């Protein structure tokens, strides 16, 4: 009998296939004691397993490239955390086996993260995956991961670790559904980059029976269990219509009456450039440079390494616009040489621009590398700072850019509510704004983007978030400057229309979303987008905002 479940759609498209579950179970090692004279051998086993798992994660990242590489390298650093390893060795010294010591040490650290506030609690899934991999290696059992199958399937999991998501084979994995996660979680971002339909935060997802047929609509968040022939036909027809619309839409982003809305790509490095070019990106709206710095948490990358990576991206968009975000470290992206190790709440502490202003040599080196990389190229380089809170922050960043001899536009990311509310003040110091809606939602609603339990508050359709977007866009318009969106909100085609109606001047997203946004924008006039935006802001909930905007756009 056909039933319908609803989660959060995070990656467009429709997938129909049999359910296969992610293999994540790792047996709890027995709590047996070892003789003292075996402690040294067990500690060696533990260190070897940790290094092997870290090396495997880095290798997976190198294969995946781009955003996936940064995520996986962050996990490798987690595996090698010196405090965790010290705790493992201490437990072995008092009689635990290597596998039991790892299991217990990670359990203790897990409890600390889970109770340290929602932002850090969101790292628990990544920590569990690292633990499972180390314990599996010590026990000599298969690593947790994607099931073996010769036939295409829909993957079901409680949550997908980045190490698994990054290397999913789109020819076999038709789509995936998770019980945890949110619309801006690592897995959701990677799913959009891959172009795989995905639904997250679906209650009861792991209870779906192995082998049952499901239809996953990554646009609506609906999952149909045992869909009948009529439902399958309707979904496949809708999918075919979407593909036809995508194929018909080409060229620069614009509304049907010619209002230009440049469609840009979010990239993590040179590896993401081919997909952006194939999607017809008009430039880069967010170049996340932190992936370069995650190779070695103890030392900043050399000038030469930075220049080569930056120039590879800049050269791909001759006479195009490339917006580079300087290093955004801290919170879930700690760097030993840059971020404090003992902050009670790193998400609200010294991260982003705050870290760079505390270490001006790191900022100066990056800005100088960008200046060298852009030399002689016709590209329009723009450089922005993350986590700008006020005019003082904006001025400090602009002054640093000028002192480094950088010939580019200087901008500020709007990720903190104060920056949206006082955007006009910030624009006295910088030339453009870029709204990072992922963190802006997180800080507006005190709702960690990695925690599925608060996913309704991460929904970018929340009217309060739209109010903040409107505030920043209105300030930019008043100052005659630009205000783009580079958060995942831009990847929702209907929300892209609403953002355009709010006055946003460009949209940047994962490359796979660009054709969907281009095709949808081309259906509506600017006036329709403005009416849809007004209708959405007049509501009280995200669901009401979404329905109200779509009603306006559909002419209801």
């Amino acid at each position: 009998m056909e039933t319908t479940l609803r989660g959060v759609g995070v990656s467009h498209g429709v997938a129909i296939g049999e359910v296969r579950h992610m293999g994540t179970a790792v047996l709890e090692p027995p709590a047996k004691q070892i003789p003292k004279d075996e402690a040294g051998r067990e500690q060696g086993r533990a260190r070897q397993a940790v290094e092997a798992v870290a090396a495997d994660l880095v290798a997976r990242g190198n294969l995946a490239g781009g955003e996936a590489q940064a995520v996986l390298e962050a996990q490798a650093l987690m595996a090698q955390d010196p405090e965790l390893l010290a705790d493992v060795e201490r437990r072995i010294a008092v009689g635990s086996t290597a596998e039991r010591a790892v299991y217990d040490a990670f359990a203790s650290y897990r409890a600390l993260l889970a109770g340290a506030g929602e932002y850090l609690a969101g790292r628990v899934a990544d920590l569990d995956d690292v633990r499972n991999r180390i314990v599996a290696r010590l026990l000599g059992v298969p690593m947790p991961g994607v099931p073996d199958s010769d036939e295409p399937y829909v993957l079901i999991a409680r949550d997908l670790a980045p190490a698994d998501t990054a290397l999913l084979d789109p020819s076999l994995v038709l789509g995936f559904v998770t019980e945890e996660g949110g619309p801006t979680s690592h897995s959701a971002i990677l799913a959009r980059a891959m172009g795989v339909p995905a639904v997250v935060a679906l209650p009861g997802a792991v209870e779906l029976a192995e082998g049952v047929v499901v239809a996953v609509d990554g646009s609506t968040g609906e999952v149909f269990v045992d869909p009948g022939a009529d439902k399958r036909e309707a979904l496949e027809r809708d999918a075919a219509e979407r593909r036809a619309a995508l194929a018909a839409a080409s060229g620069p982003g614009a509304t049907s009456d010619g209002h230009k809305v440049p469609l840009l790509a979010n990239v993590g490095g040179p590896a993401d450039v081919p997909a952006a070019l194939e999607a017809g990106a008009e430039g880069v709206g967010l170049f996340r440079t932190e992936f370069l710095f995650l190779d070695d948490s103890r030392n900043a990358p050399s000038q030469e390494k930075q220049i080569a990576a930056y120039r590879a991206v800049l050269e791909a968009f001759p006479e195009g616009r490339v917006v580079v975000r300087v290093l955004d470290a801290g919170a879930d992206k700690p760097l030993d040489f840059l971020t404090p190790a003992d902050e009670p709440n790193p998400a609200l502490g010294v991260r982003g621009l705050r870290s760079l202003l505390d270490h001006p040599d790191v900022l100066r080196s990056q800005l100088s590398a960008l200046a060298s990389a852009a030399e002689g190229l016709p590209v329009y380089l723009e450089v922005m700072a993350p986590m700008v809170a006020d005019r003082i922050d904006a001025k400090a960043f602009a002054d640093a850019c000028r002192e480094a001899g950088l010939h580019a536009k200087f901008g500020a990311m709007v990720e903190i509510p104060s920056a949206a509310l006082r955007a006009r003040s910030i624009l006295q110091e910088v030339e453009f704004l870029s709204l990072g809606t992922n963190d802006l939602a997180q800080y507006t609603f005190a709702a960690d983007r990695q925690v599925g339990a608060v996913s309704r508050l991460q929904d970018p359709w929340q009217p309060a978030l739209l109010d903040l977007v409107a505030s920043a866009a209105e300030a930019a318009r008043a100052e005659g400057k630009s205000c783009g969106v580079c958060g995942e909100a831009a990847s929702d085609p209907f929300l892209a229309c609403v953002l355009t109606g709010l006055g946003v001047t460009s949209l940047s997203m994962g490359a796979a979303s660009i054709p969907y946004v281009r095709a949808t924008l081309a259906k509506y006039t600017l006036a329709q987008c403005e009416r849809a935006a007004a209708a959405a802001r007049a509501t009280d909930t995200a669901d009401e905002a979404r329905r109200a905007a779509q009603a306006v756009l559909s002419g209801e």
Side-chain angles (χ1 to χ4, degrees), residues 271-290:
D272 290 339
V273 167
L277 293 172
E278 184 178 351
E282 298 168 58
V284 172
L286 173 62
F287 181 178
R288 298 181 174 98
T289 60
E290 53 266 23

Side-chain angles (χ1 to χ4, degrees), residues 118-171:
E118 289 182 352
Y119 198 88
L120 288 180
R123 308 284 77 77
V124 166
D126 288 358
L127 186 72
D128 286 348
D129 180 61
V130 172
R131 176 205 64 200
N132 291 347
R133 290 174 186 277
I134 297 173
V135 171
R137 189 170 190 90
L138 287 166
L139 290 175
V141 300
M143 289 284 181
V146 178
D148 291 329
S149 176
D150 295 329
E151 297 296 325
Y153 58 89
V154 173
L155 183 62
I156 306 294
R158 185 169 299 281
D159 202 357
L160 281 172
D164 298 314
T165 315
L167 297 182
L168 289 176
D169 182 351
S171 68

